[in-house]
Amino acid sequence: MKEQLRQIIKTALTQLISQKSLPELVLPEIQIDRTKDKSHGDFACNIAMMLARQAKMNPRQIATLLIEELPETKFITQVDIAGPGFINFTLSADAAQEIVKTVLQAGEQFGQSQLGAGKSVQVEFVSANPTGPLHVGHGRGAAYGSAVSNLLSTAGFKVHREYYVNDAGRQMDILATSVWLRYLEACGEKLVFPSNGYKGDYVLTIANDIKTEQGDTFVKAVADVFESVAADEPAGGDKEQHIDDLIAKAQDLLGDEAYRQVFDAGLQSILSEIRQDLSDFGTDYEEWFSERSLMEMGVVDKVITQLKAVDMLYEQGGAWWFRSTQFGDEKDRVVVRNNGQTTYFASDIAYHLNKYQRGFDTVIDIWGSDHHGYIPRVKASLAAAGEDVERLKVLLVQFAVLYRGSEKVAMSTRSGQFVTLRELREEVGKDAARFFYVLRSADQHMDFDLELAKSQSNDNPVYYVQYAHARVCSVFRELSERGLAWDKAEGEQALSRLTEEHEQAIMSMLSRYPEVINSAAVNYTPHLLAHYLMDLARDFHTYYNAHQFIVDDHGLSQARLTLITAVKQVISNGLGVLGVSAPGTM
RNA sequence: GCGCCUGUAGCUCAGUUGGAUAGAGUGUCAGUUUCCGAAGCUGAAGGUCACAGGUUCGACUCCUGUCAGGCGCGCCA
């Protein structure tokens, strides 16, 4: 519709210029906006004001000329000039009703478009370290990432959802060592658990499982384990050195194979919990990509060799540094530590190059906002490798600050004090949690009040939207109880009977849906869709209270039933994109 | 100190990429069912869009500065 308006305005303008009614102009992009106020018609165009300066004419004067030159169309009944020079268009009733048929014909596919033209997009999100269960902080990334993915795929992009598993590196070694020490305790050994180890209950569970399955296979004397290990922080030492020494001891005493078994027991246990949690949360992936596989395939080493070859790395203090300052980063970054170990950054360079090589047109990373300082160096590494930096988009998700009532909840994975995503889902429900997370724009800090979410979950706006859907279903239940039926063809025939203000508002709202989807997809803003659904639900509830759908006037009744079926379809489609269910009863 | 994000109603937040009289939810108050689900609907009250300049037909939106909050600045991941 907007496109059609744009066309007729454009032809009118070129006509005016060739008639010399207007001087030669550089035509800007013609903007068509939906009006906020019903009294301004359905669509508004500000072109007259934009041209006023160039043409050295009064905007209202331009608008008058333009209107006279507009061709006759069936879909517009009225054109007005308003305010400083807005041109307002009012849609004909026929054109407005057309949307109801369009919705019903497209069904579940209503809202889909070819905007993406089949271009491929990879979306990587959540990607939490498998050192513990997912907590509520990860929930926002999961809800946002999957909503963005669904939006893109609805808008015609080919989407590849991916979880990057950090199954290598020091944090995982700390986890493996934590598990082993808990295992030793489970086997009756007495020891002081390191202050920097993972203290969550899940570590005990994993340790006990190992004991059940493997017995005392991995038991070593505690005296040997702690022999010549640097002091821990509470004892006046350095907690980092302490845990690093313990890791070395674990690897040494257990040997490669046994250490790997303990390591994998922890990794697999936690990873399978994470997969389960995400799946239950309605978040599914095409691929789980292992960091370790990059290392084992030698990709990381290869990248380092390549960077050395083009003089992008230099040695200093026994470590190898990447010249990221040449690409605008604040300082150069270490990729190989002086102990020979590659850093997380090194594998991340390899990972991103690998993403590029897989040929995605666009690569999207969704990170917690605390990682924003990391963006320049990743982009720098891509530039250094001669890749197009614009293909990578990093979307940041601000933290949700947790509250219990008015009290802030402290969160720390290491200390094991947090609310898990699973607890949240079990108490609040998947639908409410997902909708709540996606209701705010991602770059907005968010307060997440657990008390509110748990105890007063009926206040969650998701129920308002779902209720609209359930209400439509309920009307149809009532219909069949009265021995009546809805006839789609008859209803579509009678759409011209829908003349009430409420009905027109709903039809206008329905026609906005495809625009909302596209806009939300292109801007990565699922909250637009959430707000749209609330608006649509409100229009429906208002309509419901103002008018009866099952009435004696047969044609009118059929037309109204047709309209609310379209509403139900759009709500169901929209909630589906957000990963929220649309129940028939509540 | 430098960088990124944010500042809109008592509270939680939108604001269609610069448009018309700044909007919802929640909370408060007042109404609403012999009628398809009251998890609903109707109305009232509530604002110096942090502050000060600038850009133009027009600014919550763009630019500069100030103030306030969050986050980040490791041979951690």
Side-chain angles (χ1 to χ4, degrees), chain A residues 137-210:
Chain A
H138 299 117
R140 193 174 190 188
Y144 178 69
S146 62
V148 166
S149 300
N150 294 346
L151 277 168
L152 288 170
S153 114
T154 307
F157 292 88
K158 226 177 114 198
V159 179
H160 185 87
R161 300 160 181 83
E162 188 159 311
Y163 188 113
Y164 182 51
V165 183
N166 298 118
D167 51 5
R170 181 165 172 265
Q171 293 306 319
M172 285 307 297
D173 283 320
I174 294 178
L175 176 75
T177 303
S178 302
V179 168
W180 186 52
L181 293 174
R182 288 300 192 204
Y183 162 84
L184 292 179
E185 287 180 329
C187 293
E189 303 289 334
K190 293 270 183 281
L191 56 87
V192 180
F193 197 78
S195 59
N196 213 19
Y198 286 98
K199 293 170 183 161
D201 290 342
Y202 59 93
V203 178
L204 298 175
T205 309
I206 297 167
N208 281 320
D209 288 348
I210 296 176

Side-chain angles (χ1 to χ4, degrees), chain A residues 71-147:
Chain A
E72 285 286 320
T73 51
K74 285 177 297 221
F75 59 94
I76 298 295
T77 48
Q78 203 183 332
V79 185
D80 305 292
I81 303 173
F86 289 102
I87 305 173
N88 293 336
F89 299 90
T90 305
L91 221 52
S92 73
D94 277 359
Q97 285 150 14
E98 207 47 40
I99 189 64
V100 178
K101 294 185 202 167
T102 308
V103 171
L104 294 185
Q105 202 198 332
E108 287 178 11
Q109 279 159 35
F110 180 68
Q112 293 182 5
S113 72
Q114 291 309 310
L115 192 68
K119 283 191 182 158
S120 61
V121 184
Q122 189 225 31
V123 186
E124 184 220 318
F125 60 105
V126 184
S127 297
N129 282 348
T131 52
L134 296 176
H135 53 71
V136 288
H138 299 117
R140 193 174 190 188
Y144 178 69
S146 62

Side-chain angles (χ1 to χ4, degrees), chain A residues 544-558:
Chain A
Y544 182 96
N545 278 277
H547 300 285
Q548 292 274 117
F549 307 142
I550 305 173
V551 290
D552 291 340
D553 183 336
H554 186 71
L556 182 63
S557 188
Q558 291 297 327

Side-chain angles (χ1 to χ4, degrees), chain A residues 284-321:
Chain A
D284 294 299
Y285 291 88
E286 270 76 28
E287 186 164 354
W288 294 70
F289 193 97
S290 154
E291 178 186 4
R292 202 201 294 174
S293 76
L294 277 178
M295 301 196 153
E296 285 169 354
M297 290 186 306
V299 183
V300 177
D301 291 338
K302 205 170 127 195
V303 165
I304 289 169
T305 310
Q306 282 170 354
L307 288 174
K308 279 181 186 169
V310 290
D311 194 33
M312 283 299 160
L313 298 187
Y314 63 93
E315 195 177 2
Q316 191 179 75
W320 285 89
W321 299 70

